[in-house]
Amino acid sequence: MTRTFHHIAIWAFALLSLPMAAGTAGEAKTLNVLFIGNSFTARHNLSAVVKAMAEAGNPGLTFNRTDVIYGGRTLKDHWRLGTQNIVKQSTLTEAEEKATIAALEKDAADPKDKYAKSALARHAEVLAKLEANRKPWDIIVLQSYRDDIEGDPTLYAEYAPKFAALAKAQGARVILYETTPNTQNPQPLTKVPDPAPILAKERAIAALAKRIDASVAPMALVALRCQTQRPDLTLRFINDAHLNQTMSYLTACTLYAAIFHQSPVGLPIDSVTDTRTMETPTHDKTKDRDGNPLTRKFSDKDRADLQRIAWEGWSEFQKLP
């Protein structure tokens, strides 16, 4: 498929399936996208990488991104911290926001609750700009963490539908960004991981997505495909439990697939920059936690492989029962 035809295919899908900003023919299109998560979204400015890919693959598109990040927190925590108000900002009332602030003020009185303090500052800004921020979201990305592993239902399966219901009421599509911290490899692999638990998890995510009519960035399945086809590539840092630049790039490509239902193969974006630097006595701000350059520029082969693997993994997920 030529790149020109690929663009046409994307826009044909977008016009039919994505809630774009209103406008006459020939005007630029806009997507307002909210990312809800923790450091698995914050690291490498993931939403900025997705924005770059989205705009590179869709000339004329403006991809407006907003992140609501609380480090180490799950969707249950986000609900306690009032992130649901940001989801429904187009219809949020002053009384609702003041009630959330009052609850957070009580929680913030606990000196150990640093998240309530952070959320309180965020919601004070929301209240101050209540009328200015009435734009509806087009897409809301709900990141899992370890809340999608244990329990029946898991906490992710309990809280993703709560957020999704609010999102759908605002006319937004929902994307489940499934992380896979337990299966990312810090060293090259000599054998393929056991696929059974990964596929079991993916079937559970697929069932959840079907129930709430959501798209999925199935990172456990994409990671497994990468570990199978490119076992030489590592997917997390050695000195840091987070996804490394390679896994972040795979995630951005998979989110692109989930947003547009189109392949990221051929996108020109070829690098990812980490947001946390090496922790040493000299604190070299040009190095990542493993002592490598903060920015990883992928070779043409690696870029092509990662884009293809993301698309193949996303496509495989669509076939799950």
Side-chain angles (χ1 to χ4, degrees), residues 262-277:
Q262 290 291 332
S263 172
V265 171
L267 292 175
I269 309 305
D270 63 359
S271 63
V272 171
T273 301
D274 194 19
T275 53
R276 299 190 71 180
T277 57

Side-chain angles (χ1 to χ4, degrees), residues 185 187-191 226-234:
N185 56 303
Q187 301 284 358
L189 298 178
T190 56
K191 63 178 182 179
C226 186
Q227 291 165 335
T228 302
Q229 297 186 10
R230 290 293 307 273
D232 58 306
L233 296 176
T234 61

Side-chain angles (χ1 to χ4, degrees), residues 115-130:
Y115 300 104
K117 294 181 177 66
S118 177
L120 189 57
R122 187 189 301 276
H123 284 283
E125 184 176 358
V126 169
L127 183 61
K129 299 180 178 179
L130 194 62

Side-chain angles (χ1 to χ4, degrees), residues 32 82 85 125 221 236 249 311 317 321:
N32 296 317
N85 286 11
E125 184 176 358
L221 192 60
R236 79 164 178 85
Y249 190 86
W311 176 244
F317 182 87

